[in-house]
Amino acid sequence: MQVFNKIADLRLYLKNKGVIGFVPTMGALHNGHVSLVKESVNQCDITVSSIFVNPTQFNNPDDLKRYPRTLEADCRLLEQNDCDIVFAPAIEEVYPDGYRLLDIDFGYLEKVMEGKFRPGHFRGVATVVKRLFDIVEPQKAFFGQKDYQQLMVIKELVKRYQISTQIVGCPIIRESDGLAMSSRNMLLSEAERKEAGNICRILTLAKELWKKEDVNFIKQVVKNEFGKTNLQLEYFEIAGSENLQLIGTKEDTKNVIACVAAYCGKVRLIDNMFL
Ligand code: AMP
């Protein structure tokens, strides 16, 4: 496995290497990231994974400061899983002219759930992903459904800029108690880690209730269930999985996803489940 820090070196190396698969990450890698790498290795000739903690997508400075950074362990894990290239640039390499953001407005997608509660987040995500796509020029890029709204934003980004990279969405990888794997899980104390398992438990309950009950009833049950835990619910929404339009009544749609964000201590966690 080769590790590059400079764009010029990376681009030189990638010349005539066939179908490039790309897995952008912020590091502190776990098996969720590994699943994306494996998918890329299966589908492509060469797999590039980037490790870059992108400052412009953090709307909370403490979150950025606390974000785990484990480059050495990350490289070991990537190598063990047949990743070919790690691109770990410095901030100045990605943002040579300061933090200039892409002039893009995702409209509705920026107004609900993650968009609503993390203002500016998706603009930062789009800026860095566009920049990384311009550098790597991948034929395929792999993203987790764990960040379902982000996946929709990326699909919208490639449409708007007519980027030819194919976006591949991959399923959520979970811990044995159901907790969605996340780099932020490392920041949880032992007690918080136990509490965090409630997120998936409550989503699973919502999925079960969806067979018989209506949206408002489910929302009330979810609120009550979170009330019994030490988690602070930020939002729970039921939405169409094609467009993330929030659903008020059950007649609305067939393909439906429940999305949740909750604080576990200071750590903000998100998860979702198809109903
Ligand atoms: P991050 O490092 O958090 O920016 O995530 C990098 C990529 O890994 C994104 O496409 C995420 O959606 C994906 N990812 C993170 N956690 C998981 C998970 N538990 N299962 C599947 N993909 C994930």
Side-chain angles (χ1 to χ4, degrees):
M1 190 176 76
Q2 304 270 333
V3 181
F4 294 102
N5 308 117
K6 297 285 177 212
I7 295 168
D9 299 338
L10 174 74
R11 287 181 62 88
L12 194 64
Y13 187 87
L14 282 176
K15 268 198 182 142
N16 306 319
K17 289 287 196 294
V19 175
I20 300 173
F22 182 41
V23 180
T25 83
M26 297 204 299
L29 302 183
H30 50 67
N31 282 336
H33 299 109
V34 167
S35 72
L36 307 182
V37 169
K38 284 188 171 158
E39 200 51 42
S40 174
V41 169
N42 275 339
Q43 293 192 27
C44 305
D45 296 319
I46 189 158
T47 292
V48 182
S49 181
S50 62
I51 296 178
F52 179 69
V53 181
N54 174 35
T56 66
Q57 72 186 71
F58 284 82
N59 51 321
N60 174 348
D62 281 343
D63 187 25
L64 172 61
K65 223 190 290 167
R66 274 201 308 268
Y67 202 84
R69 288 156 170 91
T70 59
L71 185 61
E72 251 178 64
D74 291 349
C75 286
R76 273 200 302 275
L77 191 62
L78 289 172
E79 185 152 35
Q80 282 161 11
N81 287 284
D82 303 320
C83 181
D84 300 290
I85 294 172
V86 177
F87 179 50
I91 288 181
E92 302 73 43
E93 195 74 1
V94 177
Y95 293 102
D97 311 321
Y99 294 138
R100 252 204 276 148
L101 289 173
L102 212 58
D103 185 16
I104 189 166
D105 179 350
F106 291 100
Y108 175 77
L109 277 178
E110 280 184 34
K111 294 190 179 66
V112 291
M113 302 193 284
E114 292 304 284
K116 176 173 168 187
F117 286 96
R118 300 188 71 188
H121 168 64
F122 285 132
R123 215 162 153 208
V125 169
T127 300
V128 79
V129 169
K130 167 83 167 48
R131 174 86 174 118
L132 291 168
F133 279 8
D134 286 344
I135 294 167
V136 178
E137 297 190 289
Q139 276 75 26
K140 296 188 181 197
F142 299 80
F143 291 86
Q145 289 174 349
K146 152 92 179 357
D147 303 278
Y148 192 81
Q149 196 170 357
Q150 169 176 282
L151 178 60
M152 312 246 342
V153 161
I154 304 296
K155 285 183 176 166
E156 184 63 24
L157 173 75
V158 297
K159 221 192 270 171
R160 295 254 194 111
Y161 283 86
Q162 298 180 305
I163 298 169
S164 60
T165 304
Q166 183 194 334
I167 305 303
V168 184
C170 303
I172 301 176
I173 306 298
R174 298 180 179 280
E175 302 285 359
S176 55
D177 66 343
L179 177 64
M181 289 193 181
S182 163
S183 304
R184 289 186 175 86
N185 294 351
M186 283 184 202
L187 304 173
L188 300 172
S189 69
E190 212 174 301
E192 287 169 342
R193 170 63 192 81
K194 265 196 197 148
E195 275 295 297
N198 282 304
I199 298 174
C200 179
R201 179 183 67 74
I202 297 170
L203 274 177
T204 309
L205 174 65
K207 185 180 170 78
E208 189 55 35
L209 290 173
W210 180 251
K211 290 178 191 158
K212 287 199 231 94
E213 306 291 346
D214 211 332
V215 177
N216 285 335
F217 179 81
I218 296 171
K219 281 189 159 180
Q220 198 50 53
V221 171
V222 165
K223 236 188 213 170
N224 293 345
E225 286 297 315
F226 270 97
K228 294 181 209 160
T229 72
N230 285 324
L231 303 168
Q232 265 73 55
L233 179 64
E234 188 169 60
Y235 66 76
F236 170 83
E237 297 289 1
I238 296 177
S241 60
E242 314 287 320
N243 52 16
L244 288 190
Q245 288 288 334
L246 303 187
I247 286 172
T249 70
K250 226 173 160 177
E251 290 111 58
D252 286 357
T253 176
K254 280 193 242 87
N255 303 317
V256 175
I257 190 167
C259 300
V260 63
Y263 278 90
C264 188
K266 284 189 171 149
V267 182
R268 185 176 182 278
L269 300 172
I270 59 170
D271 198 355
N272 63 74
M273 200 173 275
F274 287 100
L275 298 185

